[in-house]
Amino acid sequence: AQSVSQHNHHVILSEAASLELGCNYSYGGTVNLFWYVQYPGQHLQLLLKYFSGDPLVKGIKGFEAEFIKSKFSFNLRKPSVQWSDTAEYFCAVNAPGGGADGLTFGKGTHLIIQP
Amino acid sequence: DTEVTQTPKHLVMGMTNKKSLKCEQHMGHRAMYWYKQKAKKPPELMFVYSYEKLSINESVPSRFSPECPNSSLLNLHLHALQPEDSALYLCASSPSGEDTQYFGPGTRLTVL
């Protein structure tokens, strides 16, 4: 079974600061990797995903993530955050190849951006 | 359109009630999911339906009973719930089960 670890549970930044949220997974096989965001009072939305190919993936709202296979990591980055980025961020994985598979989520990072 | 709809938005029920949660998608997705999310916690997988058949049940108590009447609709029947079952219940769908899952807004359930 897969597991996901997010290192930062609470992060507070000022507007225009750079962001990096850590995510490591544990699984011996091929994985699909995702970052989802949950804005206050809203549903989970996909920020970006990695299935294969270029390990640097770009998502919505200026977010990007890099898959480093040797480190089992998929860290999320944004060069300059905005107040509207305040939200809960979840890293998630599933294992392709065996049919429909649910997502395993990390515990989440609560990000607060101060104006 | 990547919309998954869920009804009701809020539900309050007693421990002896029977109620149902409904989830609908019209994107032609063939996999649908139920997750449970407690406050300040990540979603936890409950059930997976693939091509209208139950493919994963994550050892969920029998007081939760899923049903997939057709490829667009997913229900979660609730009976004799406990107060600790109070949570946000999320539905999701994906095209084939091995790709992106799209989430609905959830049903916030309170068990008294």
Side-chain angles (χ1 to χ4, degrees):
Chain A
Q2 312 95 307
S3 68
V4 180
S5 175
Q6 291 183 240
H7 317 299
N8 319 100
H9 297 301
H10 295 278
V11 174
I12 301 174
L13 294 172
S14 298
E15 276 193 315
S18 64
L19 171 72
E20 180 160 4
L21 301 182
C23 172
N24 286 90
Y25 68 93
S26 174
Y27 186 66
T30 302
V31 292
N32 293 331
L33 294 153
F34 307 84
W35 276 97
Y36 281 87
V37 61
Q38 195 168 31
Y39 297 104
Q42 295 189 29
H43 62 277
L44 276 164
Q45 300 174 37
L46 179 71
L47 270 180
L48 45 77
K49 63 186 179 185
Y50 174 80
F51 290 174
S52 64
D54 188 345
L56 184 62
V57 291
K58 294 190 184 298
I60 61 171
K61 307 189 180 192
F63 287 91
E64 65 178 32
E66 184 175 13
F67 170 54
I68 303 179
K69 189 174 182 179
S70 61
K71 295 185 178 180
F72 296 88
S73 71
F74 190 55
N75 292 351
L76 181 70
R77 300 194 292 250
K78 186 172 184 178
S80 178
V81 293
Q82 301 172 306
W83 176 80
S84 58
D85 293 324
T86 294
E88 191 81 22
Y89 292 80
F90 292 101
C91 181
V93 303
N94 69 4
D101 189 29
L103 291 169
T104 300
F105 287 86
K107 291 188 175 181
T109 296
H110 187 55
L111 175 65
I112 297 174
I113 307 301
Q114 296 176 330
Chain B
D1 183 11
T2 55
E3 188 179 24
V4 176
T5 59
Q6 290 187 244
T7 54
K9 289 186 178 179
H10 301 274
L11 178 63
V12 179
M13 60 186 292
M15 288 190 284
T16 58
N17 292 156
K18 285 185 181 181
K19 296 287 184 183
S20 297
L21 310 184
K22 179 180 172 180
C23 172
E24 204 160 2
Q25 57 89 12
H26 295 288
M27 297 176 280
H29 290 178
R30 302 317 303 266
M32 296 184 77
Y33 312 78
W34 282 115
Y35 291 82
K36 174 181 177 180
Q37 186 178 23
K38 301 280 276 184
K40 302 188 185 301
K41 299 288 186 184
E44 295 180 349
L45 183 67
M46 299 175 72
F47 302 104
V48 179
Y49 272 84
S50 179
Y51 292 86
E52 301 163 49
K53 292 185 179 177
L54 184 64
S55 62
I56 296 177
N57 175 344
E58 290 287 354
S59 302
V60 178
S62 59
R63 57 186 184 268
F64 295 92
S65 175
E67 179 196 20
C68 189
N70 59 59
S71 60
S72 299
L73 190 56
L74 186 67
N75 297 320
L76 186 63
H77 303 297
L78 315 172
H79 174 55
L81 295 192
Q82 305 296 310
E84 59 265 27
D85 296 321
S86 298
L88 182 67
Y89 287 84
L90 297 168
C91 175
S93 70
S94 70
S96 69
E98 297 193 4
D99 35 31
T100 303
Q101 293 181 27
Y102 298 91
F103 285 82
T107 293
R108 188 160 300 280
L109 174 68
T110 303
V111 182
L112 300 176

